[in-house]
Coordinates of all heavy atoms in Angstrom, one line a residue:
M1 N 40.2 30.6 -20.0 CA 40.4 29.2 -20.7 C 39.2 29.0 -21.7 O 38.1 29.1 -21.4 CB 40.2 28.1 -19.5 CG 40.3 26.7 -20.1 SD 41.9 26.1 -20.5 CE 41.5 24.6 -21.4
V2 N 39.7 28.9 -22.9 CA 38.7 28.7 -24.0 C 38.4 27.2 -24.1 O 39.2 26.3 -24.1 CB 39.3 29.2 -25.3 CG1 38.3 29.0 -26.5 CG2 39.7 30.7 -25.2
K3 N 37.1 26.9 -24.1 CA 36.6 25.6 -24.3 C 36.9 25.1 -25.7 O 36.6 25.8 -26.6 CB 35.1 25.5 -24.0 CG 34.7 24.2 -23.3 CD 33.2 24.3 -22.9 CE 32.4 23.1 -23.4 NZ 31.0 23.3 -23.4
E4 N 37.5 23.9 -25.8 CA 37.8 23.4 -27.1 C 36.6 22.5 -27.6 O 35.9 21.9 -26.8 CB 39.0 22.5 -27.0 CG 40.3 23.3 -26.8 CD 41.0 23.8 -28.0 OE1 41.8 23.0 -28.5 OE2 40.7 24.9 -28.5
F5 N 36.4 22.6 -28.9 CA 35.3 21.8 -29.5 C 35.9 21.1 -30.7 O 36.6 21.7 -31.5 CB 34.2 22.8 -29.9 CG 33.0 22.1 -30.3 CD1 32.0 21.7 -29.4 CD2 32.7 21.9 -31.7 CE1 30.8 21.1 -29.9 CE2 31.6 21.3 -32.1 CZ 30.6 20.8 -31.2
K6 N 35.5 19.8 -30.8 CA 36.1 19.0 -31.9 C 35.1 19.2 -33.1 O 33.9 19.0 -33.0 CB 36.2 17.6 -31.6 CG 37.0 16.8 -32.5 CD 37.3 15.4 -32.0 CE 38.3 14.6 -32.9 NZ 38.5 13.3 -32.5
C7 N 35.7 19.6 -34.3 CA 34.9 19.8 -35.5 C 34.3 18.5 -36.0 O 35.1 17.6 -36.2 CB 35.7 20.5 -36.5 SG 35.0 20.6 -38.1
P8 N 33.0 18.4 -36.1 CA 32.5 17.1 -36.6 C 32.8 16.9 -38.1 O 32.7 15.7 -38.5 CB 30.9 17.3 -36.4 CG 30.7 18.8 -36.4 CD 32.0 19.4 -35.9
A9 N 33.2 17.9 -38.8 CA 33.5 17.7 -40.2 C 34.9 17.3 -40.5 O 35.1 16.3 -41.2 CB 33.2 19.0 -41.0
C10 N 35.9 17.9 -39.9 CA 37.3 17.6 -40.2 C 38.1 17.0 -39.0 O 39.2 16.5 -39.1 CB 38.0 18.8 -40.7 SG 38.3 20.1 -39.5
G11 N 37.5 17.0 -37.8 CA 38.1 16.4 -36.6 C 39.1 17.2 -35.9 O 39.7 16.8 -34.9
E12 N 39.3 18.5 -36.4 CA 40.3 19.4 -35.8 C 39.7 20.0 -34.5 O 38.5 20.2 -34.5 CB 40.8 20.5 -36.7 CG 41.6 19.9 -37.9 CD 43.0 19.6 -37.5 OE1 43.5 20.1 -36.4 OE2 43.7 18.9 -38.3
W13 N 40.5 20.4 -33.6 CA 40.0 21.1 -32.4 C 39.9 22.6 -32.7 O 40.9 23.2 -33.2 CB 40.9 20.8 -31.2 CG 40.8 19.4 -30.7 CD1 41.5 18.4 -31.2 CD2 39.8 18.8 -29.9 NE1 41.1 17.2 -30.6 CE2 40.1 17.4 -29.8 CE3 38.7 19.4 -29.1 CZ2 39.3 16.6 -29.0 CZ3 38.0 18.5 -28.3 CH2 38.2 17.2 -28.3
T14 N 38.9 23.2 -32.3 CA 38.7 24.6 -32.5 C 38.0 25.2 -31.3 O 37.5 24.5 -30.4 CB 37.9 24.8 -33.9 OG1 37.8 26.2 -34.1 CG2 36.5 24.3 -33.8
S15 N 37.9 26.5 -31.3 CA 37.3 27.2 -30.1 C 35.8 26.9 -30.1 O 35.1 27.0 -31.1 CB 37.6 28.6 -30.2 OG 36.8 29.3 -29.2
D16 N 35.3 26.6 -28.9 CA 33.8 26.3 -28.7 C 33.0 27.6 -29.0 O 31.8 27.5 -29.4 CB 33.6 25.8 -27.3 CG 32.1 25.4 -27.1 OD1 31.7 24.5 -27.9 OD2 31.5 26.0 -26.3
S17 N 33.6 28.8 -28.8 CA 32.9 30.0 -29.0 C 32.7 30.4 -30.5 O 31.9 31.2 -30.8 CB 33.6 31.1 -28.2 OG 34.9 31.3 -28.8
D18 N 33.5 29.7 -31.3 CA 33.3 30.0 -32.8 C 32.0 29.3 -33.3 O 31.6 28.3 -32.8 CB 34.5 29.3 -33.6 CG 35.8 30.1 -33.3 OD1 35.7 31.3 -32.9 OD2 36.9 29.5 -33.6
T19 N 31.4 30.0 -34.2 CA 30.2 29.4 -34.8 C 30.6 28.4 -36.0 O 29.9 27.5 -36.3 CB 29.2 30.4 -35.4 OG1 30.0 31.3 -36.2 CG2 28.6 31.2 -34.2
R20 N 31.8 28.7 -36.5 CA 32.3 27.9 -37.6 C 33.7 27.4 -37.3 O 34.5 28.1 -36.6 CB 32.3 28.7 -39.0 CG 30.9 28.8 -39.5 CD 30.8 29.6 -40.7 NE 29.4 29.9 -41.1 CZ 28.7 29.0 -41.8 NH1 29.2 27.9 -42.2 NH2 27.4 29.3 -42.0
C21 N 34.1 26.2 -37.8 CA 35.4 25.7 -37.6 C 36.4 26.6 -38.3 O 36.3 27.0 -39.4 CB 35.4 24.3 -38.3 SG 37.1 23.6 -38.3
S22 N 37.5 26.9 -37.5 CA 38.6 27.7 -38.0 C 39.4 27.0 -39.0 O 40.2 27.6 -39.7 CB 39.4 28.3 -36.8 OG 39.9 27.2 -36.1
H23 N 39.3 25.7 -39.1 CA 40.1 24.9 -40.1 C 39.4 24.7 -41.4 O 40.0 24.9 -42.4 CB 40.5 23.6 -39.5 CG 41.2 23.7 -38.2 ND1 42.6 24.0 -38.1 CD2 40.8 23.7 -36.9 CE1 42.9 24.1 -36.8 NE2 41.9 23.9 -36.1
C24 N 38.1 24.3 -41.3 CA 37.4 23.9 -42.6 C 36.2 24.8 -42.8 O 35.6 24.8 -43.9 CB 37.0 22.5 -42.6 SG 35.7 22.0 -41.4
G25 N 35.8 25.6 -41.8 CA 34.6 26.5 -42.0 C 33.3 25.8 -41.9 O 32.2 26.5 -42.1
A26 N 33.2 24.6 -41.4 CA 32.0 23.9 -41.2 C 31.3 24.5 -40.0 O 31.9 24.8 -39.0 CB 32.2 22.4 -41.0
P27 N 29.9 24.6 -40.0 CA 29.2 25.1 -38.9 C 29.4 24.1 -37.7 O 29.1 22.9 -37.9 CB 27.8 25.2 -39.3 CG 27.7 24.4 -40.6 CD 29.0 24.2 -41.2
L28 N 29.8 24.6 -36.5 CA 30.0 23.7 -35.4 C 28.8 23.4 -34.6 O 28.6 22.3 -34.1 CB 31.1 24.4 -34.5 CG 32.5 24.6 -35.1 CD1 33.3 25.3 -34.1 CD2 33.1 23.3 -35.5
H29 N 28.0 24.4 -34.4 CA 26.7 24.3 -33.7 C 25.5 24.7 -34.6 O 25.1 25.8 -34.5 CB 26.8 25.1 -32.4 CG 28.1 25.1 -31.7 ND1 28.4 24.1 -30.8 CD2 29.1 25.9 -31.8 CE1 29.6 24.4 -30.4 NE2 30.1 25.4 -30.9
P30 N 25.1 23.8 -35.4 CA 24.0 24.1 -36.3 C 22.8 24.9 -35.6 O 22.3 25.8 -36.2 CB 23.6 22.8 -36.9 CG 24.7 21.9 -36.7 CD 25.4 22.3 -35.5
D31 N 22.4 24.4 -34.4 CA 21.3 25.1 -33.8 C 21.7 26.5 -33.4 O 20.9 27.4 -33.6 CB 21.0 24.3 -32.5 CG 20.4 22.9 -32.8 OD1 20.0 22.7 -33.9 OD2 20.3 22.1 -31.9
R32 N 22.9 26.7 -32.8 CA 23.3 28.0 -32.4 C 23.5 28.9 -33.6 O 23.1 30.1 -33.6 CB 24.6 27.9 -31.7 CG 24.8 29.0 -30.6 CD 26.2 28.9 -30.0 NE 26.4 27.8 -29.1 CZ 27.5 27.5 -28.5 NH1 28.6 28.3 -28.6 NH2 27.7 26.4 -27.7
T33 N 24.1 28.4 -34.7 CA 24.3 29.1 -35.9 C 23.0 29.6 -36.5 O 22.8 30.8 -36.9 CB 25.0 28.3 -37.0 OG1 26.2 27.8 -36.4 CG2 25.4 29.1 -38.2
E34 N 22.0 28.7 -36.5 CA 20.7 29.1 -37.0 C 20.1 30.2 -36.1 O 19.4 31.1 -36.7 CB 19.8 27.8 -36.9 CG 18.5 27.9 -37.7 CD 17.6 26.7 -37.6 OE1 18.1 25.6 -37.9 OE2 16.5 26.8 -37.1
E35 N 20.2 30.1 -34.8 CA 19.7 31.1 -33.9 C 20.3 32.4 -34.2 O 19.7 33.4 -34.2 CB 20.0 30.6 -32.5 CG 19.1 31.2 -31.4 CD 19.5 30.6 -30.1 OE1 19.3 29.4 -29.9 OE2 19.9 31.4 -29.2
I36 N 21.6 32.4 -34.4 CA 22.4 33.7 -34.6 C 21.9 34.3 -35.9 O 21.7 35.5 -36.0 CB 23.9 33.4 -34.6 CG1 24.4 33.1 -33.2 CG2 24.7 34.6 -35.2 CD1 25.7 32.5 -33.1
E37 N 21.7 33.4 -37.0 CA 21.4 33.9 -38.3 C 19.9 34.5 -38.2 O 19.6 35.4 -38.9 CB 21.4 32.8 -39.3 CG 22.9 32.7 -39.9 CD 23.1 31.4 -40.6 OE1 22.2 30.6 -40.9 OE2 24.3 31.2 -40.9
R38 N 19.1 33.8 -37.3 CA 17.7 34.4 -37.2 C 17.7 35.7 -36.5 O 17.0 36.6 -36.9 CB 16.9 33.4 -36.4 CG 15.4 33.6 -36.7 CD 14.5 32.7 -35.8 NE 14.8 31.3 -36.1 CZ 14.4 30.3 -35.3 NH1 13.6 30.6 -34.3 NH2 14.7 29.1 -35.6
M39 N 18.6 35.9 -35.5 CA 18.7 37.1 -34.8 C 19.2 38.2 -35.8 O 18.8 39.3 -35.8 CB 19.7 37.0 -33.7 CG 19.0 36.6 -32.4 SD 20.2 35.8 -31.2 CE 21.4 37.1 -31.0
N40 N 20.2 37.8 -36.6 CA 20.7 38.7 -37.6 C 19.7 39.2 -38.6 O 19.8 40.3 -39.1 CB 21.9 38.1 -38.4 CG 23.1 38.0 -37.5 OD1 23.2 38.7 -36.5 ND2 24.1 37.1 -37.9
S41 N 18.7 38.3 -38.9 CA 17.7 38.7 -39.9 C 16.8 39.8 -39.4 O 16.1 40.3 -40.2 CB 16.9 37.4 -40.3 OG 16.0 37.1 -39.2
F42 N 16.8 40.0 -38.1 CA 16.0 41.1 -37.6 C 16.6 42.5 -37.9 O 15.9 43.5 -37.9 CB 15.8 41.0 -36.0 CG 14.7 40.0 -35.7 CD1 15.1 38.8 -35.0 CD2 13.4 40.2 -36.0 CE1 14.1 37.9 -34.7 CE2 12.4 39.3 -35.6 CZ 12.8 38.1 -35.0
K43 N 17.9 42.5 -38.1 CA 18.6 43.7 -38.4 C 18.2 44.0 -39.9 O 17.9 43.1 -40.6 CB 20.1 43.5 -38.3 CG 20.6 43.5 -36.9 CD 22.1 43.7 -36.8 CE 22.8 42.4 -37.3 NZ 24.2 42.5 -37.1
P44 N 18.2 45.3 -40.2 CA 17.9 45.6 -41.6 C 18.8 44.8 -42.5 O 20.0 44.6 -42.2 CB 18.2 47.1 -41.7 CG 18.0 47.6 -40.3 CD 18.4 46.5 -39.4
L45 N 18.3 44.3 -43.5 CA 19.1 43.4 -44.4 C 20.2 44.3 -45.0 O 20.2 45.5 -45.0 CB 18.2 42.8 -45.5 CG 17.0 42.0 -45.0 CD1 16.1 41.6 -46.2 CD2 17.4 40.9 -44.2
D46 N 21.2 43.6 -45.6 CA 22.4 44.3 -46.1 C 22.1 45.0 -47.4 O 22.9 44.9 -48.3 CB 23.5 43.3 -46.2 CG 24.1 42.9 -44.8 OD1 23.9 43.7 -43.9 OD2 24.7 41.9 -44.7
I47 N 21.0 45.7 -47.4 CA 20.7 46.5 -48.6 C 21.0 47.9 -48.3 O 20.4 48.5 -47.3 CB 19.2 46.4 -49.0 CG1 18.8 44.9 -49.3 CG2 18.8 47.2 -50.2 CD1 17.4 44.6 -49.4
P48 N 22.0 48.5 -49.0 CA 22.3 49.9 -48.6 C 21.1 50.8 -49.0 O 20.5 50.8 -50.0 CB 23.5 50.2 -49.5 CG 23.5 49.2 -50.6 CD 22.7 48.0 -50.1
L49 N 20.8 51.7 -48.0 CA 19.6 52.6 -48.2 C 20.1 53.7 -49.1 O 21.3 54.1 -49.1 CB 19.2 53.2 -46.9 CG 18.3 52.3 -46.0 CD1 18.0 53.0 -44.7 CD2 17.0 52.0 -46.7
I50 N 19.2 54.3 -49.8 CA 19.5 55.4 -50.7 C 19.9 56.6 -49.8 O 19.3 56.9 -48.8 CB 18.3 55.8 -51.5 CG1 18.0 54.7 -52.5 CG2 18.4 57.1 -52.3 CD1 16.6 54.7 -53.1
Q51 N 21.0 57.2 -50.2 CA 21.5 58.3 -49.4 C 21.0 59.6 -50.0 O 20.9 59.8 -51.2 CB 23.1 58.4 -49.5 CG 23.8 57.2 -48.9 CD 23.6 57.1 -47.4 OE1 23.8 58.1 -46.7 NE2 23.1 56.0 -46.9
I52 N 20.5 60.4 -49.0 CA 20.0 61.7 -49.4 C 20.9 62.8 -49.0 O 21.3 62.9 -47.8 CB 18.5 62.0 -48.8 CG1 17.6 61.0 -49.4 CG2 18.1 63.4 -49.2 CD1 16.2 60.9 -48.6
Y53 N 21.4 63.6 -49.9 CA 22.5 64.6 -49.6 C 21.8 65.9 -49.4 O 20.8 66.3 -50.1 CB 23.5 64.6 -50.6 CG 24.2 63.2 -50.8 CD1 23.9 62.4 -51.9 CD2 25.1 62.7 -49.9 CE1 24.4 61.2 -52.1 CE2 25.6 61.4 -50.0 CZ 25.3 60.7 -51.1 OH 25.9 59.5 -51.3
A54 N 22.4 66.7 -48.6 CA 21.9 68.1 -48.3 C 21.9 69.0 -49.5 O 21.0 69.8 -49.7 CB 22.7 68.7 -47.2
D55 N 22.9 68.7 -50.4 CA 23.0 69.6 -51.6 C 22.2 69.0 -52.8 O 22.4 69.5 -53.9 CB 24.4 69.9 -51.9 CG 25.3 68.6 -52.1 OD1 24.8 67.5 -51.8 OD2 26.4 68.7 -52.6
D56 N 21.4 68.0 -52.6 CA 20.6 67.5 -53.7 C 19.5 68.5 -54.0 O 19.0 69.2 -53.1 CB 19.9 66.1 -53.3 CG 20.8 64.9 -53.4 OD1 21.8 65.0 -54.1 OD2 20.5 63.9 -52.8
H57 N 19.1 68.5 -55.3 CA 18.0 69.3 -55.7 C 16.7 68.9 -54.9 O 16.6 67.7 -54.6 CB 17.8 69.1 -57.2 CG 16.8 70.1 -57.8 ND1 15.5 69.8 -58.0 CD2 17.0 71.3 -58.3 CE1 14.9 70.8 -58.5 NE2 15.8 71.8 -58.8
W58 N 15.8 69.8 -54.6 CA 14.6 69.5 -53.8 C 13.8 68.4 -54.4 O 13.2 67.5 -53.8 CB 13.8 70.7 -53.5 CG 13.2 71.3 -54.7 CD1 13.7 72.4 -55.4 CD2 11.9 71.0 -55.3 NE1 12.9 72.7 -56.5 CE2 11.8 71.8 -56.4 CE3 10.9 70.0 -55.1 CZ2 10.6 71.7 -57.3 CZ3 9.8 69.9 -55.9 CH2 9.7 70.8 -57.0
F59 N 13.8 68.4 -55.7 CA 13.0 67.4 -56.5 C 13.6 66.0 -56.3 O 12.9 65.0 -56.0 CB 12.9 67.8 -58.0 CG 12.1 66.8 -58.8 CD1 10.7 66.9 -58.8 CD2 12.8 65.9 -59.6 CE1 10.0 65.9 -59.5 CE2 12.1 65.0 -60.3 CZ 10.7 65.0 -60.3
L60 N 14.9 66.0 -56.4 CA 15.7 64.8 -56.2 C 15.5 64.2 -54.8 O 15.4 63.0 -54.6 CB 17.2 65.0 -56.6 CG 18.1 63.8 -56.7 CD1 17.6 62.9 -57.8 CD2 19.5 64.2 -57.0
K61 N 15.6 65.1 -53.9 CA 15.4 64.8 -52.5 C 14.0 64.1 -52.3 O 13.9 63.0 -51.6 CB 15.4 66.0 -51.6 CG 16.8 66.3 -51.0 CD 16.7 67.5 -50.0 CE 18.0 68.2 -49.8 NZ 17.9 69.4 -49.0
G62 N 13.0 64.7 -52.8 CA 11.6 64.1 -52.7 C 11.5 62.8 -53.3 O 11.0 61.8 -52.8
F63 N 12.1 62.7 -54.5 CA 12.1 61.4 -55.3 C 12.9 60.3 -54.5 O 12.4 59.2 -54.3 CB 12.8 61.6 -56.6 CG 12.8 60.4 -57.5 CD1 11.6 59.9 -58.0 CD2 14.0 59.8 -57.9 CE1 11.6 58.8 -58.9 CE2 14.0 58.7 -58.7 CZ 12.8 58.2 -59.2
K64 N 14.0 60.6 -53.9 CA 14.8 59.7 -53.1 C 14.1 59.3 -51.9 O 14.2 58.2 -51.4 CB 16.2 60.3 -52.8 CG 17.2 60.3 -53.9 CD 18.5 60.9 -53.4 CE 19.6 60.7 -54.4 NZ 20.9 61.3 -53.9
L65 N 13.4 60.3 -51.3 CA 12.6 60.0 -50.0 C 11.5 59.0 -50.3 O 11.4 58.1 -49.5 CB 12.1 61.3 -49.5 CG 11.7 61.3 -48.0 CD1 12.9 61.1 -47.1 CD2 11.0 62.6 -47.7
V66 N 10.8 59.1 -51.4 CA 9.8 58.2 -51.8 C 10.4 56.8 -52.0 O 9.9 55.8 -51.5 CB 9.0 58.7 -53.0 CG1 8.1 57.6 -53.6 CG2 8.2 59.9 -52.7
L67 N 11.5 56.8 -52.8 CA 12.2 55.5 -53.1 C 12.6 54.8 -51.8 O 12.5 53.6 -51.6 CB 13.4 55.8 -54.0 CG 13.2 55.8 -55.5 CD1 14.5 55.9 -56.2 CD2 12.5 54.5 -56.0
R68 N 13.2 55.6 -50.9 CA 13.7 55.1 -49.6 C 12.6 54.6 -48.7 O 12.8 53.5 -48.1 CB 14.6 56.1 -48.9 CG 15.5 55.5 -47.9 CD 16.6 56.4 -47.4 NE 15.9 57.4 -46.5 CZ 16.7 58.2 -45.7 NH1 18.0 58.1 -45.6 NH2 16.1 59.1 -44.9
T69 N 11.5 55.3 -48.7 CA 10.4 54.8 -47.9 C 9.9 53.4 -48.4 O 9.7 52.5 -47.7 CB 9.2 55.8 -48.0 OG1 9.7 57.1 -47.6 CG2 8.0 55.4 -47.1
G70 N 9.9 53.3 -49.8 CA 9.5 52.0 -50.4 C 10.5 51.0 -50.0 O 10.1 49.8 -49.7
Q71 N 11.8 51.3 -50.0 CA 12.9 50.4 -49.7 C 12.7 49.9 -48.2 O 12.8 48.7 -48.0 CB 14.2 51.2 -49.8 CG 15.3 50.3 -50.3 CD 16.6 51.1 -50.5 OE1 16.7 52.3 -50.2 NE2 17.6 50.5 -51.0
V72 N 12.4 50.8 -47.3 CA 12.3 50.5 -45.9 C 11.1 49.5 -45.7 O 11.2 48.5 -45.0 CB 12.1 51.8 -45.0 CG1 11.7 51.4 -43.6 CG2 13.4 52.6 -45.0
I73 N 10.0 49.8 -46.4 CA 8.8 49.0 -46.3 C 9.1 47.6 -46.9 O 8.8 46.6 -46.3 CB 7.6 49.6 -47.0 CG1 7.1 50.9 -46.3 CG2 6.4 48.7 -47.2 CD1 6.2 51.8 -47.1
F74 N 9.8 47.6 -48.0 CA 10.2 46.3 -48.6 C 11.0 45.5 -47.6 O 10.8 44.3 -47.5 CB 11.0 46.6 -49.9 CG 11.5 45.3 -50.5 CD1 10.7 44.5 -51.2 CD2 12.9 45.0 -50.4 CE1 11.2 43.3 -51.8 CE2 13.4 43.8 -50.9 CZ 12.5 43.0 -51.6
I75 N 12.0 46.1 -47.0 CA 12.9 45.4 -46.1 C 12.1 44.9 -44.9 O 12.3 43.8 -44.4 CB 14.1 46.4 -45.6 CG1 15.0 46.6 -46.8 CG2 14.9 45.7 -44.4 CD1 16.0 47.8 -46.6
A76 N 11.2 45.7 -44.4 CA 10.3 45.3 -43.2 C 9.5 44.0 -43.6 O 9.4 43.1 -42.8 CB 9.4 46.4 -42.8
I77 N 8.9 44.1 -44.8 CA 8.1 42.9 -45.3 C 9.0 41.7 -45.5 O 8.6 40.6 -45.0 CB 7.3 43.3 -46.6 CG1 6.3 44.4 -46.3 CG2 6.7 42.1 -47.2 CD1 5.6 45.0 -47.5
A78 N 10.2 41.9 -46.1 CA 11.1 40.8 -46.3 C 11.5 40.2 -45.0 O 11.6 39.0 -44.9 CB 12.3 41.3 -47.1
S79 N 11.8 41.0 -44.0 CA 12.2 40.5 -42.7 C 11.1 39.8 -42.0 O 11.3 38.7 -41.4 CB 12.6 41.7 -41.7 OG 13.6 42.5 -42.3
A80 N 9.9 40.2 -42.2 CA 8.7 39.6 -41.6 C 8.5 38.2 -42.3 O 8.2 37.2 -41.6 CB 7.4 40.4 -41.8
I81 N 8.7 38.1 -43.6 CA 8.5 36.9 -44.3 C 9.6 35.9 -43.8 O 9.3 34.7 -43.6 CB 8.6 37.1 -45.8 CG1 7.3 37.8 -46.3 CG2 8.8 35.8 -46.6 CD1 7.4 38.4 -47.7
V82 N 10.8 36.4 -43.7 CA 12.0 35.5 -43.2 C 11.6 35.0 -41.8 O 11.8 33.8 -41.5 CB 13.3 36.3 -43.2 CG1 14.4 35.5 -42.4 CG2 13.8 36.6 -44.6
Y83 N 11.1 35.9 -41.0 CA 10.8 35.5 -39.6 C 9.7 34.4 -39.6 O 9.7 33.4 -38.9 CB 10.3 36.7 -38.8 CG 9.8 36.4 -37.4 CD1 10.7 35.9 -36.5 CD2 8.5 36.6 -37.1 CE1 10.2 35.6 -35.2 CE2 8.0 36.3 -35.8 CZ 8.9 35.8 -34.9 OH 8.4 35.5 -33.6
I84 N 8.6 34.7 -40.4 CA 7.5 33.8 -40.4 C 7.9 32.4 -41.0 O 7.6 31.4 -40.5 CB 6.3 34.4 -41.2 CG1 5.7 35.5 -40.5 CG2 5.2 33.3 -41.5 CD1 4.9 36.5 -41.3
A85 N 8.7 32.5 -42.1 CA 9.2 31.3 -42.7 C 10.0 30.4 -41.8 O 9.9 29.2 -41.7 CB 9.9 31.6 -44.0
S86 N 10.9 31.1 -41.1 CA 11.8 30.4 -40.2 C 11.0 29.9 -38.9 O 11.4 28.8 -38.4 CB 13.0 31.2 -39.7 OG 12.5 32.3 -39.0
G87 N 10.0 30.6 -38.6 CA 9.2 30.1 -37.4 C 8.3 28.9 -37.8 O 8.0 28.1 -37.0
A88 N 7.8 28.9 -39.1 CA 7.0 27.8 -39.5 C 7.7 26.5 -39.6 O 7.0 25.4 -39.5 CB 6.4 28.2 -40.9
V89 N 9.0 26.5 -39.8 CA 9.8 25.3 -39.9 C 9.8 24.5 -38.6 O 9.7 23.3 -38.6 CB 11.2 25.6 -40.3 CG1 12.1 24.3 -40.3 CG2 11.2 26.2 -41.7
H90 N 9.7 25.3 -37.4 CA 9.9 24.6 -36.1 C 8.5 24.3 -35.5 O 7.6 25.0 -35.7 CB 10.6 25.5 -35.2 CG 12.1 25.6 -35.6 ND1 13.0 24.6 -35.3 CD2 12.7 26.4 -36.4 CE1 14.2 24.9 -35.8 NE2 14.0 26.0 -36.5
Ligands
ZN1 ZN1 36.6 21.6 -39.4

């Protein structure tokens, strides 16, 4: 039995387990949505990492490795900033 939840934005009944209204897309549980979004921010951001292929030239491999290391560090710093910023609000 799915718990029904009335959308505060459009008044339609939607599933309580949804984070957003299936009718209008409004966030149903702002607190929960924020929590989920904060949890998601711990995952590496949606930045595709540079792919290193086995048949790449050794020089290209080294170059890509340096770039990717920088990318990983950047993502880690960005995640930390997002975490600190979201923590400072509360
Ligand atoms: Zn709605």
Side-chain angles (χ1 to χ4, degrees):
M1 176 79 191
V2 180
K3 211 173 134 199
E4 292 268 273
F5 187 87
K6 197 173 186 180
C7 172
C10 70
E12 292 285 343
W13 290 92
T14 186
S15 167
D16 184 59
S17 59
D18 289 340
T19 53
R20 285 178 186 278
C21 174
S22 55
H23 301 279
C24 70
L28 296 176
H29 316 277
D31 292 346
R32 211 186 290 177
T33 307
E34 193 184 302
E35 204 176 296
I36 291 162
E37 275 165 11
R38 199 183 304 169
M39 270 159 58
N40 287 343
S41 73
F42 280 113
K43 286 192 290 186
L45 305 177
D46 285 336
I47 300 167
L49 282 176
I50 292 161
Q51 295 295 309
I52 297 168
Y53 304 105
D55 57 348
D56 277 345
H57 189 267
W58 66 266
F59 180 79
L60 190 61
K61 268 187 199 171
F63 183 67
K64 280 182 172 181
L65 200 65
V66 169
L67 272 184
R68 199 167 72 164
T69 305
Q71 215 178 5
V72 169
I73 292 166
F74 174 78
I75 291 167
I77 291 168
S79 305
I81 289 167
V82 167
Y83 173 68
I84 292 161
S86 64
V89 174
H90 292 277

